[in-house]
């Protein structure tokens, strides 16, 4: 029987998402945040559907932060560090739903999802900072996709208006936040943390596969 990994890396979270930070904090990871530039996501239009889109965006975010750190002469690379980047979208009947632009866009997304099953995809990029990396053809361990199936209750006009007016839809794929405990969004199959924006089970599996210690496992 092999021994459990003893090295716990410092996670470099390549994201400004407060929800992803909270998931890492709750799980007990040692991490710091180095967000990519906002324009890293611009101009990406994958023909491979939502899975291809989130994979490419996660790769772009992760490789941008990786290069940023490698070019920083003051960056401390003494301790093992692993870059983690993610991108999340919702999909319903072939339509990919990212973050809404405004209230009208959010209303249109929620109206499409109301009373329907849909899926949330998160592309996950995981890469030890010291290892060589060839973009856009990474190792199979670098990028993976988690998929969660959800069902949204049929929303009344008052429910829809109340949520739109709350502003809680802002910055959330599909215009809703599962972590908001809405009561009208239910996980049918898959990871709950994936819906929030970072599939913690998959992240732990990848880190273990790379030989790192994972909190609580």
């Amino acid at each position: 029987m092999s021994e459990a990994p003893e090295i716990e890396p410092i996670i470099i979270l390549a994201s400004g998402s407060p929800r992803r930070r909270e998931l890492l904090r709750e799980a007990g990871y040692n991490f710091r945040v180095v967000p990519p530039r906002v324009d890293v996501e611009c101009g990406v239009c994958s023909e491979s559907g939502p899975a291809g889109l989130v994979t490419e965006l996660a790769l772009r975010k992760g490789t941008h932060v990786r290069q940023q750190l490698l070019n920083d002469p003051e960056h401390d690379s003494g301790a093992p560090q692993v870059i983690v980047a993610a991108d999340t979208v919702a999909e319903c009947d072939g339509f990919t739903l990212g973050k809404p632009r405004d209230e009208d866009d959010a209303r249109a997304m929620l109206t499409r999802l109301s009373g329907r099953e849909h899926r949330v995809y998160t592309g996950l990029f995981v890469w030890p900072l010291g290892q060589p990396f060839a973009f856009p053809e990474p190792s199979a361990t670098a990028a993976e996709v988690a998929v969660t199936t959800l069902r949204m209750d049929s929303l009344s006009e008052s429910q829809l208006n109340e949520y739109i007016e709350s502003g809680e839809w802002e910055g959330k794929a599909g215009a809703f936040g599962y972590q908001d405990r809405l009561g009208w969004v239910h996980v049918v199959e898959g990871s709950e943390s994936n819906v929030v924006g970072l599939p913690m089970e998959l992240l732990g599996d990848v880190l273990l596969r790379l030989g790192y210690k994972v909190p609580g496992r």
Side-chain angles (χ1 to χ4, degrees):
M1 184 175 180
S2 60
E3 295 183 2
E6 296 183 358
I7 300 175
E8 182 177 346
I10 298 172
I11 300 296
I12 307 296
L13 179 61
S15 171
S17 165
R19 294 169 291 280
R20 292 184 179 123
R21 289 200 302 268
E22 188 61 28
L23 285 169
L24 287 176
R25 187 177 298 112
E26 289 177 351
Y29 281 95
N30 182 12
F31 73 97
R32 67 189 188 93
V33 176
V34 182
R37 292 196 317 265
V38 176
D39 62 0
V40 169
E41 301 182 44
C42 295
V44 178
C45 185
S46 176
E47 297 180 355
S48 302
L53 177 64
V54 293
T55 298
E56 183 172 352
L57 286 169
L59 285 168
R60 283 176 177 264
K61 293 177 182 179
T63 52
H64 175 267
V65 168
R66 176 182 180 273
Q67 197 59 48
Q68 180 181 331
L69 293 175
L70 292 177
N71 290 338
D72 182 0
E74 298 183 0
H75 175 67
D76 179 14
S77 58
Q81 298 174 77
V82 177
I83 296 172
V84 172
D87 193 83
T88 302
V89 299
E91 175 271 324
C92 183
D93 287 343
F95 290 90
T96 299
L97 309 175
K99 299 172 184 176
R101 297 182 301 274
D102 50 33
E103 287 190 1
D104 290 340
D105 198 24
R107 184 179 295 275
M109 289 185 183
L110 290 171
T111 299
R112 177 180 293 279
L113 296 175
S114 177
R116 310 287 299 281
E117 277 198 3
H118 66 283
R119 285 144 297 283
V120 169
Y121 292 75
T122 296
L124 179 68
F125 172 98
V126 181
W127 198 259
L129 187 58
Q131 290 189 10
F133 177 79
F135 182 80
E137 297 181 355
S139 157
T141 61
E144 300 202 23
V145 178
V147 184
T148 301
T149 301
L150 302 100
R151 177 178 55 81
M152 184 178 289
D153 295 342
S154 295
L155 301 181
S156 66
E157 193 66 21
S158 61
Q159 284 177 307
L160 184 58
N161 289 337
E162 181 181 0
Y163 193 63
I164 293 296
E165 290 171 4
S166 74
E168 292 182 336
W169 51 268
E170 294 185 45
K172 297 171 181 175
F176 72 92
Y178 185 76
Q179 68 277 12
D180 296 336
R181 304 187 184 282
L182 301 169
W184 35 263
V185 181
H186 316 278
V187 170
V188 176
E189 183 179 6
S191 163
E192 291 189 6
S193 61
N194 179 49
V195 187
V196 181
L198 190 61
M200 300 303 292
E201 302 89 348
L202 180 59
L203 173 61
D205 291 344
V206 174
L207 290 172
L208 285 172
R209 192 165 68 225
L210 292 171
Y212 293 111
K213 182 178 179 181
V214 173
R217 295 178 63 175

